[in-house]
Amino acid sequence: MKYIAEIDIMPQKEILDPQGKAVRLGLHNLHIDSVGDVRIGKHIRLEVEAESEEKARETVDSACRQLLANLIMEEYTFSLHTA
């Protein structure tokens, strides 16, 4: 069965996010002052072939831990649905 994984990878809250700070400053320069903190991350979409939803979750979690996310600096969440 095919599954689609939607993965969001964000810097950990304790880590400085220079890209987010640059975007916040840019918004301020455009007089968009109602925006508070900005954090920049990644969104990844994977198509996974697996026997079950549990196996698909294991595959996606393994991919995130081993390759997609730097667990020292980033955290990830994902959702899974059938293709």
Side-chain angles (χ1 to χ4, degrees):
M1 183 169 231
K2 281 189 183 176
Y3 295 91
I4 302 296
E6 301 282 346
I7 305 164
D8 290 313
I9 301 173
M10 296 294 293
Q12 292 180 1
K13 290 176 179 51
E14 300 82 17
I15 303 291
L16 180 66
D17 183 1
Q19 286 179 306
K21 296 227 180 284
V23 168
R24 185 170 182 230
L25 179 61
L27 291 170
H28 176 73
N29 290 339
L30 294 171
H31 305 291
I32 302 173
D33 297 321
S34 60
V35 174
D37 191 33
V38 178
R39 306 286 288 174
I40 304 291
K42 299 179 270 189
H43 182 80
I44 300 169
R45 184 178 184 267
L46 295 181
E47 185 177 293
V48 180
E49 184 75 36
E51 298 172 2
S52 66
E53 183 175 336
E54 182 180 341
K55 291 284 188 192
R57 286 189 180 283
E58 289 173 8
T59 299
V60 173
D61 190 57
S62 180
C64 289
R65 284 186 285 108
Q66 294 182 45
L67 178 66
L68 301 176
N70 176 350
L71 298 180
I72 294 170
M73 299 173 42
E74 298 171 320
E75 53 192 24
Y76 66 91
T77 59
F78 66 89
S79 63
L80 196 65
H81 59 275
T82 56

